[in-house]
Amino acid sequence: SDSSAGWVDEPLDFHWNGTAWSPMTLPSAVTPFALESIQAFSSTDAWAVGVGPSASGTSTVATAVQSNGTSWTEVATPISTTKSLSINAISGSSPSDIWVVGETSTSGYRDRQVTSVIMHYNGVSWSPSTVPDNSGLINVDAVSPSDAWAVAADGSVLSWNGSAWTVQTQESGAKVVQALSPTDVWVGGIVSLGHYNGTTWSTTATPSTFNAFSGGAALAPGHVWFAGVSYLSNGDEVPAVLSTSNG
């Protein structure tokens, strides 16, 4: 919105009741925040996450708000930094198994330092976790408490086995990960789609008309969808959808 201080981020929240969209009111404490990603488990249990200034205004903090279908409640997170902070994705296998990923970064270009950020919700509280990657985490997909996947800015594909995160492979320009099980994982890269069958990784080139991944959904084996964009010859960008043709 436009204010006397210039353009500022304001979070907006709308809910679909099966017939129409209607706005919901967020807690006043998160009004300065920009909410980036949402995960819904039911009509009475949803989470939204983002970033904003601390109460003192001296640092940036990650925020998480939970909805019971009627109102939102802020839940404290352990992420606070004086660096630039981005929250990029949220995914959960259940209300007691939720992952959030992002990164912190210092200013500048040549000497810019990036650190991956990841935190987990166990049904009671949020806690930080560690990953063997410091390029920043872009996307995450949780399948179960012992099976989750994430992709990093350097192309690393990481997996969670219930006790630790490990790097499984590298996928050039990895942007989106969608997993159905430990033996059925898909990763969208710059010009290719990677697949893991539990033993080996294979790579398939994407159609030349599909140029960038931005999101995905895995419904069942053979029914995996990715959204993105295509760049036309005249320079325009148009929405594009890619789907798997078999399991």
Side-chain angles (χ1 to χ4, degrees):
S1 66
D2 192 10
S3 68
S4 58
W7 286 95
V8 296
D9 289 326
E10 292 184 357
L12 296 175
D13 170 43
F14 292 86
H15 179 256
W16 175 258
N17 63 6
T19 304
W21 290 95
S22 59
M24 292 182 67
T25 301
L26 289 162
S28 59
V30 301
T31 298
F33 287 75
L35 297 177
E36 304 292 346
S37 190
I38 190 168
Q39 168 78 61
F41 296 101
S42 70
S43 60
T44 58
D45 191 0
W47 286 88
V49 289
V51 298
S54 64
S56 65
T58 58
S59 62
T60 302
V61 298
T63 190
V65 288
Q66 185 179 27
S67 173
N68 60 9
T70 303
S71 61
W72 291 91
T73 302
E74 184 180 10
V75 180
T77 76
I79 306 299
S80 178
T81 179
T82 56
K83 302 175 183 178
S84 175
L85 173 66
S86 296
I87 295 297
N88 297 326
I90 181 174
S91 179
S93 67
S94 74
S96 59
D97 178 38
I98 308 173
W99 291 97
V100 168
V101 300
E103 78 272 342
T104 64
S105 63
T106 58
S107 59
Y109 178 76
R110 182 182 297 274
D111 299 322
R112 180 172 177 262
Q113 296 180 333
V114 177
T115 302
S116 295
V117 167
I118 186 167
M119 61 182 183
H120 182 260
Y121 185 72
N122 62 4
V124 179
S125 61
W126 290 93
S127 60
S129 188
T130 58
V131 291
D133 178 271
N134 267 328
S135 65
L137 299 178
I138 300 172
N139 195 235
V140 64
D141 192 26
V143 182
S144 74
S146 60
D147 184 22
W149 296 80
V151 292
D154 64 358
S156 294
V157 180
L158 305 102
S159 68
W160 168 259
N161 64 4
S163 59
W165 286 92
T166 57
V167 176
Q168 291 295 322
T169 190
Q170 295 288 130
E171 182 72 25
S172 177
K175 295 294 183 183
V176 180
V177 59
Q178 288 295 312
L180 290 160
S181 72
T183 60
D184 194 359
V185 184
W186 296 86
V187 176
I190 295 177
V191 293
S192 63
L193 189 62
H195 181 252
Y196 183 62
N197 64 7
T199 304
T200 59
W201 286 88
S202 60
T203 301
T204 302
T206 57
S208 59
T209 54
F210 192 92
N211 303 116
F213 290 86
S214 60
L219 306 179
H223 296 279
V224 181
W225 296 78
F226 288 95
V229 298
S230 289
Y231 301 117
L232 304 182
S233 58
N234 62 3
D236 290 344
E237 296 182 11
V238 296
V241 176
L242 181 70
S243 67
T244 60
S245 59
N246 57 66

